[in-house]
PDB file of all heavy atoms in Angstrom:
ATOM      1  N   SER A  25     -44.666  54.840-149.770  1.00  0.00           N
ATOM      2  CA  SER A  25     -44.856  56.277-149.893  1.00  0.00           C
ATOM      3  C   SER A  25     -45.599  56.578-151.187  1.00  0.00           C
ATOM      4  O   SER A  25     -45.699  55.733-152.075  1.00  0.00           O
ATOM      5  CB  SER A  25     -43.521  57.020-149.847  1.00  0.00           C
ATOM      6  OG  SER A  25     -42.684  56.628-150.923  1.00  0.00           O
ATOM      7  N   VAL A  64     -47.360  28.692-145.942  1.00  0.00           N
ATOM      8  CA  VAL A  64     -46.792  29.454-144.835  1.00  0.00           C
ATOM      9  C   VAL A  64     -47.770  29.658-143.695  1.00  0.00           C
ATOM     10  O   VAL A  64     -47.405  30.261-142.670  1.00  0.00           O
ATOM     11  CB  VAL A  64     -46.258  30.823-145.308  1.00  0.00           C
ATOM     12  CG1 VAL A  64     -45.228  30.642-146.414  1.00  0.00           C
ATOM     13  CG2 VAL A  64     -47.405  31.713-145.784  1.00  0.00           C
ATOM     14  N   ARG A 109     -55.447  39.370-152.208  1.00  0.00           N
ATOM     15  CA  ARG A 109     -55.312  38.351-153.234  1.00  0.00           C
ATOM     16  C   ARG A 109     -53.846  37.961-153.369  1.00  0.00           C
ATOM     17  O   ARG A 109     -52.944  38.749-153.081  1.00  0.00           O
ATOM     18  CB  ARG A 109     -55.854  38.849-154.571  1.00  0.00           C
ATOM     19  CG  ARG A 109     -55.028  39.962-155.224  1.00  0.00           C
ATOM     20  CD  ARG A 109     -55.648  40.384-156.545  1.00  0.00           C
ATOM     21  NE  ARG A 109     -54.775  41.247-157.322  1.00  0.00           N
ATOM     22  CZ  ARG A 109     -54.716  42.559-157.203  1.00  0.00           C
ATOM     23  NH1 ARG A 109     -55.490  43.183-156.316  1.00  0.00           N
ATOM     24  NH2 ARG A 109     -53.885  43.267-157.967  1.00  0.00           N
ATOM     25  N   THR A 121     -35.825  41.787-151.264  1.00  0.00           N
ATOM     26  CA  THR A 121     -34.853  41.557-150.211  1.00  0.00           C
ATOM     27  C   THR A 121     -34.640  40.056-150.063  1.00  0.00           C
ATOM     28  O   THR A 121     -35.593  39.283-150.051  1.00  0.00           O
ATOM     29  CB  THR A 121     -35.308  42.194-148.875  1.00  0.00           C
ATOM     30  OG1 THR A 121     -34.289  42.027-147.886  1.00  0.00           O
ATOM     31  CG2 THR A 121     -36.601  41.570-148.368  1.00  0.00           C
TER      32      THR A 121
END
Side-chain angles (χ1 to χ4, degrees):
S25 61
V64 303
R109 69 180 191 273
T121 184

